[in-house]
Amino acid sequence: VIPARVDYLRPTSIGEALEALADGDAKVLAGGHSLVPMMKLRLARPMLLVDIGRLELRGISESGGVLTIGALTTYDQLLRTDGIGLPDALRESAAAVGDVQVRNMGTVGGSVAHGDPASDVTASLIALGASLRLRSAAGVRECPADEFFVGLFTTVLRQQEILVEIDLPLLGPGEGSAYRSVDDAASGYPLAGAAARVRLDDGRVAECAVGLTGAEATPRRLREVEQALLEVGSGPVEPCVGAALAKLELTRGEGDSEYRRQLTVVAVTRAFQTARARAVEGET
Ligand SMILES: Cc1cc2nc3c(=O)[nH]c(=O)nc-3n(C[C@H](O)[C@H](O)[C@H](O)COP(=O)(O)OP(=O)(O)OC[C@H]3O[C@@H](n4cnc5c(N)ncnc54)[C@H](O)[C@@H]3O)c2cc1C
């Protein structure tokens, strides 16, 4: 399958890239692992590809307890990060993506900007309280990850904006995180993937955030389950999650809603239990 004819530009500065995006039919190209397949299927038909691969948007740094991830950082680079305290949820969700080729080429920013309902890392970014930095010729704006996704492959990102960086707070003592998913055997994408971040205070869950991907039209924060998890105490987790998600209507993809709901319960339970166990380790 061959994409339609397209012009190609590889700018060396962000200013040049933003100028090129003023053309309403232009599209950003990062790792190309989502956009190029869509172009081959003619689901996307840009007239101009603005390849941002040469821009200095790659790498991970830490300052003042905040981790900053350049949008062009690949999954593989994320997984090779040492000594910087990358939260477990993010590491596990990056490791869950595709295969080694996809992790070598696919970028964290591309995964977010694409608005794929089954992107692994988005659940973690939501649960970890990430903030996305979006840049256009008019300036820079910040958007919390849990307000970024608005519909199937639809985000608040404007055509003339580039996602440049992602900020996320590092976890402190008594905090833990985890990502767990149940994957589609054929594609490897999550049928339901959940990330949890837990903060313990004196052995009690004082704060809990859960992000869900794969099961609905957009990744999102599962607020309806968070309150229940704050109150679970030493009781069994799965029935508590099941009750909180009893009314969840899942309409995306194959399989009936009840099947997906069950998978969601399993993924959320596993992510929460692991994050809580890690928080206990961090507390002692
Ligand atoms: C075989 C295969 C298996 C896969 N399996 C998985 C999986 O299991 N789990 C999973 O989560 N993903 C999976 N993926 C998808 C992969 O994670 C994405 O392709 C990748 O993260 C998207 O990043 P990219 O750099 O390739 O983006 P591109 O394909 O270059 O771009 C994707 C979209 O985002 C826009 N964009 C990209 N970067 C920016 C930016 N910085 N600012 C503004 N807009 C931008 C582009 O314009 C385009 O619309 C798979 C892909 C393939 C091909």
Side-chain angles (χ1 to χ4, degrees), residues 27-28 30-35 75 98 102 107 110-111 113 119-120 163 188-189:
K27 220 165 170 33
V28 168
H33 270 49
S34 289
L35 182 55
Y75 301 113
V102 178
T107 65
S111 187
S119 151
D120 283 287
L163 166 61
Y189 279 88

Side-chain angles (χ1 to χ4, degrees), residues 4 10 47-48 71 135 148 150 153 176 178 180 183 217 220 231 236 247 271:
R10 200 171 192 206
M47 300 301 286
L48 171 65
R135 188 157 163 192
F148 186 74
V150 293
F153 295 104
R180 291 290 180 271
D183 294 341
R220 72 167 173 107
E231 290 159 12
K247 294 207 179 79

Side-chain angles (χ1 to χ4, degrees), residues 46-258:
M47 300 301 286
L48 171 65
L49 282 181
V50 181
D51 182 346
I52 58 171
R54 278 196 192 149
L55 306 187
E56 306 247 324
L57 299 176
R58 214 174 284 272
I60 303 157
S61 59
E62 191 265 322
S63 172
V66 175
L67 209 59
T68 299
I69 302 170
L72 284 177
T73 307
T74 62
Y75 301 113
D76 182 66
Q77 286 171 324
L78 208 58
L79 291 168
R80 285 172 195 269
T81 309
D82 268 340
I84 213 165
L86 196 71
D88 290 314
L90 190 55
R91 190 182 298 279
E92 287 167 345
S93 56
V97 172
D99 52 29
V100 73
Q101 288 98 326
V102 178
R103 293 195 295 275
N104 275 336
M105 289 299 292
T107 65
V108 178
S111 187
V112 174
H114 193 48
D116 191 322
S119 151
D120 283 287
V121 291
T122 51
S124 297
L125 294 173
I126 289 170
L128 293 167
S131 175
L132 313 174
R133 196 163 302 119
L134 314 176
R135 188 157 163 192
S136 69
V140 176
R141 63 183 179 122
E142 307 277 334
C143 177
D146 72 336
E147 292 173 16
F148 186 74
F149 305 98
V150 293
L152 196 67
F153 295 104
T154 311
T155 71
V156 302
L157 188 74
R158 300 180 188 127
Q159 186 268 331
Q160 292 173 353
E161 281 178 324
I162 296 178
L163 166 61
V164 286
E165 283 173 334
I166 300 166
D167 280 347
L168 67 159
L170 283 174
L171 300 192
E175 289 187 276
S177 72
Y179 175 75
R180 291 290 180 271
S181 61
V182 183
D183 294 341
D184 176 63
S187 72
Y189 279 88
L191 290 165
R197 175 175 56 86
V198 167
R199 184 173 67 79
L200 296 179
D201 186 8
D202 216 6
R204 210 179 45 82
V205 177
E207 243 182 81
C208 170
V210 178
L212 175 69
T213 188
E216 297 184 303
T218 65
R220 72 167 173 107
R221 192 161 165 185
L222 263 191
R223 291 184 193 275
E224 60 266 51
V225 89
E226 293 173 2
Q227 186 57 38
L229 288 170
L230 284 176
E231 290 159 12
V232 69
S234 56
V237 176
E238 188 159 341
C240 161
V241 174
L245 296 181
K247 294 207 179 79
L248 200 64
E249 282 284 331
L250 302 169
T251 48
R252 198 190 143 255
E254 324 76 46
D256 64 11
S257 172
E258 181 52 23

Side-chain angles (χ1 to χ4, degrees), residues 39 137 235:
M39 288 171 62

